[in-house]
Amino acid sequence: MRFARAITGAVVLGIGREASIISPQHLGSSAPLEQRATPVAPNGYTPEGGDCPSTKPSIRPASGLSQQETDWLESRRKQTEPALQTLLKRLDISGFDVDSYFSKYSNDTSSVSNVGIAVSGGGWRACLNGAGAIQAFDSREANTTSTGQLGGLLDSATYLAGLSGGGWLVGSIFVNNYTTISNLLSSSSVWQFQNSIIAGPDSSILSTADYYGNLYSSVHGKSDADFETTLTDYWGRAVSYQLVNASDGGVDLTWSSIANDTDFAASNTPLPILVADERAPGELLIAGNTTVYEYSPWEFGSWDPTTFGFAPLQYLGSNFTNGELTDDDTCVRGFDNVGLVMGTSSSLFNAILLEANITGVPSIFQGAIEGLLNDVGSSNEDIASYSPNPFYGYNTDTNVNGNETTLTMVDGGEDLENIPFHPLIQPSRGLDVIFAVDSSADTVSHWPNGTSLVATYERSLNDIANGTAFPFIPDVNTMVNLGLNARPTFFGCNASNYTTTTAPGPLVVYIPNSPYVYTSNVSTFQLSYNISERDAIVQNGYYVATRGNSSQWGMCVGCAILARSFERTGTPVPDVCGTCMRTYCWDGTLNATVPTEYEPELNALGYAINVSNSSESGAASGTTRSIRSSIGLGMVWGVGFFIMFLCLL
């Protein structure tokens, strides 16, 4: 790919007649990170039994929201309404009086828009590209709250869902003081991706031998306590050194402890949800047969008619049978380590640890990995074992693994639903709009082509959808031929054009990764990024989400947010919103002709961010990167099924 001109020190952006010049440095000020998740695990990474509360925990049916979420939502909606009002005023929708609208419906929360954000999988590419979008949506970041800009969308969101690499992003934000992306980029203790996960943190913090020794000792402690362990335990611990804390990887932090945080409990943040899939050893997953699980700060379980139940996350590892604990059972705590949760959602990457044949890796660690592979077989190296199975004996008529003592989970994108829509399209949550950031590598050159959208749409046509509604989605060839994967696109603009005849589902604002100021189509399995490239991918994601800080795009985002609310309240749609819908909505046109290889050009008037090819840890500088080729996925995976899958993820 050729660039018209490369510049250093600033990036020039242009959308139509609008253009802005913004420094390529972080878009916010730095501040020290403080871990938000409370270190409540009783024995580090090793789960441990103890006394139960006076009311013993149990499995509940997935017939509605938990009482904890219901209570939290009542408070959160009171927080999102003023944030949304502020955002919509700034987006300046011509012909729409924001204050009058909110004044009219101030006592009717159900009339005001309910917003969700979904961040796809795709490894570090997804983590960084998604970070750019979250940065653009966060009013705490510098230069995000001018007229037409999208800072405040995160503040207005009720839910923030992540999967695999997108789950790393969500998890890293929440266990580090619900911090900003700028602070993560500025920190010396996290997001130092120039240090490969294989080599571990910088040697000044932890030697390679100590890094692998710590991985071994923490997982071995869990095994010694008679809990099953897999490669996912090691993978989750390893990724935590990059995302949680470089010194100890948050060994005693749990996902459920997020619920105890003061700000989250006060509903000052969105509700973080991660997604993973259930897979029995040897099973082939497709969207139509996969039971999808979610992790909220309170619960782990599935809305699907197979399992149709939720376990209290804090007590995973306890011996539930038929949904209950016996009088003699203890309540286990510490099983839901943040690394295990993030690692399960991204277990596709487990095999990276098989490449850990480098100097300094203790032989005891290599022996442990070999032993695990001998136990499960290479075709099951992606599983995470949840034993005892919290849903043992539960809904056995429909729950195919209800009679298994171990629940095996895998990467949330293995069923090709690489965008975590599943938690956000549940009718009980009543979302009106989902902003879906897609960093998938569907094409040969690692750009998205809508495969995840298609998978979720096809799933919605099957019984396993269980009443969830999703808009009609065209085939992937149409997505590419019409350029729907090259710019933001709205799906479901017509509320009657859904896969159910009941209440319409949320409108989907699809934001695919594209080369705005940087060719961010790095391989899913690129293991290290120097600081320049890391920041360039984040910044490209920022500009993709904002269309180069275009106020016209911002106004259309406002129209998308309000679309379902306009329908419910019978509010006349402003003329400018009609124009936005005609511009960004898929109009039903199809073109299934096989397209030529998808190689998008830069969108920003030919300008590009310069990055260094070195492994520097300072500010961005250097020479422009061309599109990277694959790093040899066959070297990472030896299983035929995954070769097919990696072409799509």
Side-chain angles (χ1 to χ4, degrees), residues 92 234 330 558:
D92 195 21
Y234 287 102
T330 62

Side-chain angles (χ1 to χ4, degrees), residues 217-241:
S217 62
S218 58
V219 176
H220 193 64
K222 179 179 178 180
S223 177
D224 280 349
D226 292 329
F227 289 93
E228 290 184 19
T229 58
T230 65
L231 277 176
T232 304
D233 288 276
Y234 287 102
W235 168 248
R237 292 294 302 124
V239 78
S240 294
Y241 280 84

Side-chain angles (χ1 to χ4, degrees), residues 543-564:
Y543 292 133
V544 168
T546 63
R547 304 220 76 193
N549 289 319
S550 165
S551 59
Q552 283 90 353
W553 165 242
M555 187 163 51
C556 291
V557 166
C559 293
I561 291 172
L562 289 164
R564 291 290 183 266

Side-chain angles (χ1 to χ4, degrees), residues 279 283-286 348 379 382 414-415 638-646:
R279 179 173 78 79
E283 182 184 12
L284 174 64
L285 296 185
I286 58 174
L348 182 68
S379 62
D382 61 324
E414 285 203 21
D415 61 351
V639 185
F641 163 68
F642 289 115
I643 297 298
M644 175 197 73
F645 177 68
L646 294 178

Side-chain angles (χ1 to χ4, degrees), residues 16-149:
R17 295 182 179 180
E18 296 186 80
S20 58
I21 300 178
I22 300 177
S23 167
Q25 304 304 316
H26 311 322
L27 298 179
S29 58
S30 63
L33 297 181
E34 298 176 4
Q35 290 178 349
R36 173 174 289 273
T38 308
V40 297
N43 189 19
Y45 191 72
T46 301
E48 189 171 280
D51 293 337
C52 292
S54 57
T55 300
K56 281 206 169 186
S58 61
I59 309 300
R60 72 169 185 90
S63 54
L65 299 177
S66 68
Q67 190 60 53
Q68 298 104 312
E69 185 171 344
T70 299
D71 294 343
W72 181 89
L73 281 172
E74 183 178 354
S75 177
R76 178 60 180 166
R77 294 289 278 152
K78 293 176 182 177
Q79 305 276 7
T80 59
E81 284 187 28
L84 187 58
Q85 184 174 1
T86 299
L87 172 64
L88 290 171
K89 289 178 69 173
R90 187 163 15 91
L91 296 181
D92 195 21
I93 301 172
S94 302
F96 177 63
D97 188 331
V98 175
D99 289 335
S100 295
Y101 191 75
F102 276 82
S103 176
K104 183 177 181 179
Y105 298 108
S106 60
N107 295 320
D108 183 10
T109 300
S110 63
S111 294
V112 180
S113 298
N114 194 7
V115 180
I117 300 171
V119 187
S120 83
W124 287 268
R125 179 190 63 251
C127 180
L128 295 172
N129 181 64
I134 295 300
Q135 188 175 56
F137 298 161
D138 191 346
S139 67
R140 299 172 297 172
E141 297 277 13
N143 304 318
T144 63
T145 56
S146 300
T147 300
Q149 291 186 309

Side-chain angles (χ1 to χ4, degrees), residues 1 21 25 58 79 150 164 279 282 370 456 488 529 555 574 622 631 637:
M1 179 174 293
I21 300 178
Q25 304 304 316
S58 61
Q79 305 276 7
L150 301 182
S164 198
R279 179 173 78 79
E370 292 171 1
T456 301
Y529 299 80
M555 187 163 51
I631 61 169
W637 291 97

Side-chain angles (χ1 to χ4, degrees), residues 213-554:
N214 289 353
L215 296 183
Y216 173 80
S217 62
S218 58
V219 176
H220 193 64
K222 179 179 178 180
S223 177
D224 280 349
D226 292 329
F227 289 93
E228 290 184 19
T229 58
T230 65
L231 277 176
T232 304
D233 288 276
Y234 287 102
W235 168 248
R237 292 294 302 124
V239 78
S240 294
Y241 280 84
Q242 289 197 333
L243 302 171
V244 179
N245 186 310
S247 59
D248 68 3
V251 69
D252 51 4
L253 301 180
T254 62
W255 193 260
S256 58
S257 67
I258 294 173
N260 301 326
D261 176 74
T262 302
D263 277 347
F264 176 80
S267 305
N268 294 331
T269 77
L271 173 58
I273 300 177
L274 264 57
V275 170
D277 292 339
E278 179 183 15
R279 179 173 78 79
E283 182 184 12
L284 174 64
L285 296 185
I286 58 174
N289 75 353
T290 303
T291 298
V292 179
Y293 281 70
E294 68 176 45
Y295 304 79
S296 80
W298 302 291
E299 295 185 306
F300 166 72
S302 178
W303 299 93
D304 292 344
T306 47
T307 302
F308 198 67
F310 285 93
L313 183 65
Q314 180 181 1
Y315 299 112
L316 280 189
S318 303
N319 194 25
F320 292 98
T321 302
N322 300 321
E324 303 291 341
L325 295 176
T326 69
D327 291 339
D328 297 330
D329 287 326
T330 62
C331 284
V332 173
R333 295 170 175 84
F335 190 99
D336 62 313
N337 178 271
V338 293
L340 179 65
V341 173
M342 292 189 292
T344 302
S345 183
S346 62
S347 68
L348 182 68
F349 292 82
N350 286 354
I352 286 176
L353 295 177
L354 305 180
E355 300 297 305
N357 186 23
I358 60 176
T359 302
V361 177
S363 59
I364 193 172
F365 176 86
Q366 295 177 341
I369 297 297
E370 292 171 1
L372 288 172
L373 283 180
N374 289 334
D375 289 340
V376 303
S378 61
S379 62
N380 295 312
E381 60 197 14
D382 61 324
I383 66 170
S385 290
Y386 285 58
S387 180
N389 177 4
F391 302 101
Y392 178 72
Y394 190 80
N395 286 347
T396 53
D397 289 343
T398 56
N399 181 7
V400 296
N401 291 312
N403 292 318
E404 301 294 331
T405 57
T406 297
L407 176 67
T408 48
M409 304 294 300
V410 295
D411 191 297
E414 285 203 21
D415 61 351
L416 302 185
E417 292 187 273
N418 203 35
I419 303 173
F421 286 117
H422 190 267
L424 306 183
I425 60 176
Q426 299 304 320
S428 297
R429 289 184 168 134
L431 284 169
D432 294 308
V433 60
I434 300 172
F435 288 84
V437 182
D438 190 5
S439 306
S440 303
D442 303 320
T443 69
V444 173
S445 53
H446 309 141
W447 299 107
N449 67 5
T451 291
S452 181
L453 288 170
V454 173
T456 301
Y457 163 65
E458 291 178 345
R459 175 190 171 89
S460 72
L461 303 176
N462 293 298
D463 291 341
I464 201 167
N466 205 25
T468 55
F470 201 72
F472 286 92
I473 302 294
D475 60 277
V476 295
N477 289 345
T478 294
M479 291 285 294
V480 174
N481 288 328
L482 300 185
L484 306 180
N485 69 323
R487 62 166 178 82
T489 303
F490 300 167
F491 293 98
C493 298
N494 183 347
S496 64
N497 193 19
Y498 273 75
T499 55
T500 65
T501 57
T502 56
L507 187 149
V508 173
V509 177
Y510 179 60
I511 305 175
N513 184 27
S514 60
Y516 225 91
V517 292
Y518 186 67
T519 49
S520 55
N521 57 324
V522 294
S523 166
T524 302
F525 289 92
Q526 180 176 324
L527 303 185
S528 64
Y529 299 80
N530 64 45
I531 297 299
S532 300
E533 185 169 29
R534 180 199 68 175
D535 293 358
I537 297 174
V538 172
Q539 194 171 13
N540 186 75
Y542 179 99
Y543 292 133
V544 168
T546 63
R547 304 220 76 193
N549 289 319
S550 165
S551 59
Q552 283 90 353
W553 165 242

